[in-house]
Amino acid sequence: MKNFYIDKCLELRDVYLDYPFDKGEWAAVRHSDNKKIFALIYERNNNICINFKNTPEWGVFWRESFDAVSPAYHMNKEHWSTVIIGSDADECQIMQMVADSYNLTKSKKRIKK
C-alpha cells in the first residue's frame, strides 16, 4: 500500500522521490524545481501514513471530517497533517489532500510587469 501511494504521487508533474533520512523508511515526494516536499509517506504503529501540507483552515476541515486525519507527526501542526491509510478517508479523498499539498508547495510563477 505504501508503494501504491508513492506511485500515485509520482504521477504528478515534475516531482521526484527522495529518502532524506538515514534508514530510508520515510519516502519524501518533492517538486523537481524547488525541492519542496509535498508528501511524506512512512509506516508508524503498523499503519501507512502520509504527511501533507495544508492551509490552517483546510487542516481543521480535514481533521474534523475524518478520524484518519490528525496534526502531522514530526511537522508543524498548523500547516501539516497526517492521514492514516485504510481508515475512514478513501483513496480519492487522500489524493485530494496530496494534490492540495502539491499545489501549496509548488513554485509560484512570477508575472512580468
Side-chain angles (χ1 to χ4, degrees):
M1 192 52 78
K2 180 178 173 181
N3 288 335
F4 172 81
Y5 281 96
I6 290 172
D7 291 343
K8 294 295 276 183
C9 288
L10 291 174
E11 290 175 6
L12 296 167
R13 185 179 174 138
D14 297 325
V15 301
Y16 69 98
L17 181 62
D18 185 20
Y19 291 91
F21 307 112
D22 290 340
K23 295 182 182 180
E25 295 171 2
W26 286 55
V29 188
R30 300 176 182 262
H31 291 277
S32 297
D33 59 352
N34 65 13
K35 313 294 187 241
K36 288 185 178 180
I37 294 171
F38 65 91
L40 281 163
I41 305 169
Y42 58 96
E43 186 173 340
R44 182 168 182 259
N45 298 330
N46 297 315
N47 293 305
I48 302 298
C49 302
I50 302 176
N51 285 4
F52 62 94
K53 188 164 187 157
N54 50 243
T55 63
E57 300 80 18
W58 274 103
V60 169
F61 171 79
W62 291 123
R63 294 170 196 164
E64 288 178 353
S65 299
F66 301 101
D67 291 333
V69 180
S70 62
Y73 177 68
H74 271 298
M75 306 287 282
N76 178 299
K77 308 294 187 224
E78 183 178 8
H79 295 282
W80 287 83
S81 295
T82 297
V83 60
I84 298 172
I85 305 304
S87 191
D88 61 336
D90 66 24
E91 176 189 334
C92 183
Q93 293 157 329
I94 292 168
M95 288 314 299
Q96 182 60 56
M97 296 171 200
V98 170
D100 290 348
S101 180
Y102 172 86
N103 287 322
L104 281 171
T105 55
K106 71 181 178 180
S107 293
K108 308 295 186 241
K109 291 186 180 184
R110 295 180 182 224
I111 300 172
K112 292 183 179 182
K113 294 182 180 181

